[in-house]
Amino acid sequence: MERDRRKKRPSAAVRARRRKRRRRAVLVQRLLVALFGVIILVGGSAVVWNMLPGIRVASKLSAADEYVETKDYDEAIASCKEALKIDSMSVEAYKSMAGAYLSKEDQEAAEQVKKQQAHLLVAVLGRKMPPIEGGELLVKLTACACQQAGAIGVYANDTVYPADYYLYFAGMLKEDLFPIFNLVWIGLYK
């Protein structure tokens, strides 16, 4: 009799319930995997979206606009400088910074920023050149750029150093001196 029970198949209704439970379990499993995939995709997209330079610059400029509305001009200028650290070619960041300076009534700084129309990035790359020669070449190239009509100055340490200031220290090369002041920028932080 015991053998008969082992060999006896469950009824059709029991088999149907088991199949239904298995299908439900598989469906729940697939839904959970799909939901997890969507969460990963959305979260990853949000992270990538926020890491794009254009988005980060727009975020900083939006913050600068809010600071201007609350008349906190120093914070607005700082936010514009942060945007320029992300994308130093951002015309909008320069315009916002000029607006903040004008709102702050710092006419001289605003006029300097308003003059900004283009950037020139100067770099000396190469492994075969000794560092001293590379530094001298960099100063010569930058000094040539500073002598062009309309050149405002050299941007370093969140400051635009006037072109004549840079050229004055580049003159050290004519006296066979190393132009250290054009290569090492010392800044004080609050």
Side-chain angles (χ1 to χ4, degrees), residues 26-60:
V26 168
L27 179 64
V28 167
Q29 238 181 354
R30 288 180 182 169
L31 286 174
L32 287 174
V33 168
L35 180 65
F36 185 69
V38 167
I39 289 171
I40 294 292
L41 184 65
V42 169
S45 297
V47 168
V48 169
W49 180 262
N50 287 325
M51 297 299 278
L52 293 173
I55 303 300
R56 291 174 44 215
V57 167
S59 164
K60 297 293 182 190

Side-chain angles (χ1 to χ4, degrees), residues 55-166:
I55 303 300
R56 291 174 44 215
V57 167
S59 164
K60 297 293 182 190
L61 294 180
S62 175
D65 290 341
E66 290 175 15
Y67 288 129
V68 168
E69 287 176 13
T70 61
K71 300 187 186 311
D72 190 355
Y73 303 118
D74 291 329
E75 285 298 319
I77 292 166
S79 188
C80 290
K81 286 180 179 180
E82 287 178 25
L84 288 170
K85 284 181 183 176
I86 297 167
D87 179 10
S88 64
M89 302 294 223
S90 174
V91 175
E92 289 302 316
Y94 280 107
K95 286 181 181 178
S96 292
M97 191 161 54
Y101 277 123
L102 281 173
S103 298
K104 187 179 175 182
E105 298 179 9
D106 188 349
Q107 294 293 328
E108 184 180 330
E111 289 304 316
Q112 283 292 87
V113 173
K114 275 178 143 180
K115 289 179 186 177
Q116 174 71 28
Q117 292 182 6
H119 266 60
L120 175 64
L121 178 65
V122 181
V124 175
L125 305 173
R127 294 185 180 164
K128 295 181 181 178
M129 185 179 296
I132 300 285
E133 287 179 30
E136 289 175 348
L137 180 59
L138 178 65
V139 169
K140 288 176 184 177
L141 292 171
T142 306
C144 286
C146 286
Q147 291 174 347
Q148 301 304 308
I152 296 173
V154 177
Y155 180 77
N157 281 354
D158 293 332
T159 304
V160 177
Y161 296 98
D164 56 344
Y165 175 87
Y166 192 88

Side-chain angles (χ1 to χ4, degrees), residues 8-20:
K8 200 174 190 183
R9 296 180 94 195
S11 67
V14 172
R15 285 194 312 260
R17 278 192 301 247
R18 285 182 186 165
R19 265 189 255 127
K20 193 174 183 179

